[in-house]
Amino acid sequence: MLEVRNLVKYFGIKKVVDNVSFKVKQGHILGVLGKNGAGKSTIFRMILNILEPDEGEVLYNGEKIDSKISDRIGYLPEVGSLIDSYTVYEQCVYYGKMKSMKIEDIKNNMFDLLEKFGIVEYANMKIKELSKGNKQKIQFIISLLHNPDLIVLDEPFSGLDPVSVEYFKNIILQLKEQGKTIVFSSHIMSHVEMLCEDVLIINNGKVALNCNLEEIKQEYASKTLDITGKISDSTLKQIGIFGMIEKKENNRYIVNLANKERIGDVFRLLYTSDITKFSVLNVSLNDIFLDKVGTAYEE
């Protein structure tokens, strides 16, 4: 299990990570969301022991992450870190040695992964000769080369075509089935919704939300009503006591309740109104992000 405890990080006088704590169980996928500059990548680098926190600590299975434990972590950075003049094989050897791998293991694992990604023929190509999408595939392969237990993926789908995105998603799910612990960020909200059990929203360096995704979606859904009909101003005013009302076209109203227990009260207030529709809305992760951060997610 990965456990992040009360992380604080300053860059100069600016606090970019402010008392961040969360846990990720073995075999689970945590999706980390936040606008650019929210502190996601800084948190990832502290998990990887690339940056030292000013306060707090990061533990993996109860141990502080050091160089030995780092060999059990795979990392795909948001910004490419490949060396253009190297071949794919040379690049794998370079990173494999950093993870204390033997040359024979590096070679065997590299060809297994290249075959899995359908790009065996790229083994002796130089990095500079690859497309952006294929460079991303090589970075992903490198992050898995040493068979890590904990995998940190910072924008893994960047630069990929839709077919490759689907392939990456399937591989991530396979890794989960193997019991790997995975933390990843993505600017595509649907990827997080499809892959993750748990979600962490970071806003201005602080935790805005840390929860099970399905539980929070059910909680939000049970508080959001979609109502269509002729409703008097006085009735709307009474409903407004229980939450926010957003008026749409054609006598449609979206009511966001402060407390889901008030659904019955709203229903009773509408008893004398001419209502043609009354339903509980399905809520997306983007709706939740909007509520917690105040703006829609960047895609």
Side-chain angles (χ1 to χ4, degrees):
M1 181 174 70
L2 173 67
E3 186 174 1
V4 171
R5 295 180 178 175
N6 308 115
L7 285 190
V8 174
K9 185 65 182 176
Y10 288 89
F11 289 156
I13 61 171
K14 183 179 180 182
K15 187 185 283 188
V16 294
V17 176
D18 188 356
N19 197 36
V20 168
S21 297
F22 60 89
K23 297 179 182 179
V24 191
K25 296 177 182 178
Q26 181 179 344
H28 279 233
I29 304 176
L30 174 71
V32 182
L33 301 172
K35 296 175 71 66
N36 286 335
K40 305 187 300 295
S41 294
T42 301
I43 292 168
F44 285 176
R45 290 180 185 127
M46 286 189 282
I47 291 172
L48 294 155
N49 204 30
I50 296 171
L51 288 176
E52 186 76 20
D54 293 310
E55 297 176 27
E57 60 182 351
V58 181
L59 304 175
Y60 184 63
N61 291 336
E63 298 181 63
K64 188 173 180 179
I65 293 178
D66 55 17
S67 58
K68 183 179 179 181
I69 293 179
S70 291
D71 283 349
R72 296 158 56 194
I73 303 176
Y75 176 45
L76 191 159
E78 180 180 11
V79 179
S81 60
L82 302 176
I83 302 171
D84 280 347
S85 61
Y86 280 16
T87 65
V88 169
Y89 174 70
E90 290 169 338
Q91 188 76 77
C92 288
V93 169
Y94 177 79
Y95 281 104
K97 286 184 174 180
M98 290 176 64
K99 295 295 184 180
S100 307
M101 294 180 70
K102 297 177 181 179
I103 290 292
E104 192 64 25
D105 291 334
I106 293 171
K107 187 175 181 179
N108 290 338
N109 290 3
M110 181 196 74
F111 277 107
D112 285 346
L113 288 164
L114 286 173
E115 185 174 1
K116 192 171 188 177
F117 279 79
I119 52 174
V120 173
E121 67 274 17
Y122 293 169
N124 294 310
M125 288 182 65
K126 290 188 179 294
I127 298 298
K128 63 184 178 183
E129 297 171 339
L130 303 178
S131 67
K132 182 178 179 181
N134 283 324
K135 286 180 181 179
Q136 188 73 348
K137 291 177 184 178
I138 298 305
Q139 290 216 133
F140 200 178
I141 285 171
I142 287 169
S143 73
L144 304 179
L145 190 66
H146 56 299
N147 192 27
D149 300 315
L150 170 63
I151 303 166
V152 179
L153 307 172
D154 199 352
E155 298 294 339
F157 307 111
S158 177
L160 297 177
D161 59 77
V163 174
S164 295
V165 167
E166 288 302 312
Y167 197 76
F168 268 45
K169 284 158 61 177
N170 288 334
I171 289 175
I172 291 171
L173 290 173
Q174 289 172 19
L175 291 166
K176 174 184 178 295
E177 290 174 3
Q178 294 168 18
K180 307 297 186 183
T181 303
I182 302 169
V183 182
F184 88 97
S185 67
S186 175
H187 277 87
I188 309 300
M189 193 74 75
S190 59
H191 295 162
V192 178
E193 289 193 87
M194 179 172 291
L195 293 171
C196 299
E197 296 102 332
D198 305 303
V199 64
L200 176 74
I201 296 177
I202 302 294
N203 187 34
N204 295 324
K206 298 180 179 181
V207 175
L209 183 70
N210 179 18
C211 64
N212 177 272
L213 180 55
E214 284 306 312
E215 288 177 0
I216 194 66
K217 286 176 73 173
Q218 290 175 15
E219 179 183 337
Y220 268 75
S222 64
K223 297 194 297 184
T224 306
L225 307 178
D226 188 355
I227 305 169
T228 300
K230 295 179 181 179
I231 307 172
S232 68
D233 290 341
S234 61
T235 300
L236 287 172
K237 187 175 180 179
Q238 288 178 286
I239 293 172
I241 296 172
F242 305 131
M244 299 293 294
I245 301 175
E246 182 183 356
K247 187 174 182 180
K248 302 288 188 177
E249 295 180 350
N250 301 319
N251 293 323
R252 183 181 175 218
Y253 302 88
I254 303 298
V255 180
N256 293 297
L257 299 174
N259 186 332
K260 63 182 179 181
E261 305 301 328
R262 293 297 189 177
I263 292 178
D265 295 319
V266 173
F267 191 80
R268 283 187 287 274
L269 285 169
L270 294 171
Y271 183 74
T272 58
S273 302
D274 183 11
I275 302 300
T276 57
K277 179 182 179 181
F278 184 100
S279 63
V280 177
L281 276 183
N282 290 322
V283 177
S284 70
L285 183 53
N286 194 59
D287 294 325
I288 297 169
F289 186 91
L290 177 62
D291 179 63
K292 291 296 181 180
V293 176
T295 59
Y297 199 52
E298 303 159 331
E299 297 202 1

